[in-house]
Amino acid sequence: MKRIGKYAVIALLACVTSLSTGCLYLKNHPLGMESCAKDLEGDHYEVLGAAEGTSSSFTLLWMLPVTTRASYDDAINEAIRSQGADNLIDVTMWREKKVYVIGTVDVLHVKGKAIRYTAERK
């Protein structure tokens, strides 16, 4: 009997620990698609490749903001900087919400094709 009690206490502690640090709820929500992130400055550009950026925020106990809100502009600028580009085309956006025991993490994702403007058509 003592052995079963010992294992029960260990299992209970493992459950409490995982609940206090693990994610309780995760949801992805599509926000939309855009042809370009910023106004196009010209028709002549080269595609550099895929780029992705994120911006996130954390709310303690689901109501006390600890960081600034997730920003679309910050996510776009991160994606553009990641490729050394000038703009993004074929942009998709989605929001991810993770709920923990201690608070909520909100992540805004932006993904698209990074472009660099050229002087003339190739």
Side-chain angles (χ1 to χ4, degrees):
M1 267 325 241
K2 286 185 178 183
R3 181 175 269 181
I4 294 173
K6 183 195 285 185
Y7 289 123
V9 169
I10 291 172
L12 180 64
L13 286 174
C15 288
V16 168
T17 302
S18 68
L19 282 177
S20 65
T21 59
C23 182
L24 300 175
Y25 175 76
L26 171 67
K27 182 176 182 180
N28 288 316
H29 178 73
L31 296 177
M33 297 174 64
E34 297 286 333
S35 59
C36 57
K38 300 177 181 180
D39 291 335
L40 288 177
E41 294 176 13
D43 295 336
H44 308 297
Y45 55 82
E46 62 180 325
V47 177
L48 303 175
E52 187 170 347
T54 60
S55 178
S56 63
S57 63
F58 175 68
T59 307
L60 183 65
L61 301 175
W62 315 286
M63 63 184 151
L64 301 170
V66 176
T67 62
T68 58
R69 292 178 53 100
S71 165
Y72 173 76
D73 289 332
D74 290 346
I76 288 291
N77 290 332
E78 180 182 310
I80 290 171
R81 278 193 311 267
S82 74
Q83 293 286 341
D86 296 320
N87 203 344
L88 284 180
I89 59 172
D90 300 332
V91 181
T92 57
M93 301 160 284
W94 69 97
R95 187 173 297 273
E96 180 179 78
K97 187 173 190 172
K98 297 178 183 179
V99 178
Y100 295 90
V101 172
I102 60 171
T104 303
V105 176
D106 191 30
V107 184
L108 176 65
H109 294 270
V110 174
K111 188 174 185 177
K113 294 177 187 172
I115 62 167
R116 181 178 298 134
Y117 296 112
T118 59
E120 55 188 67
R121 189 174 272 175
K122 290 185 175 183

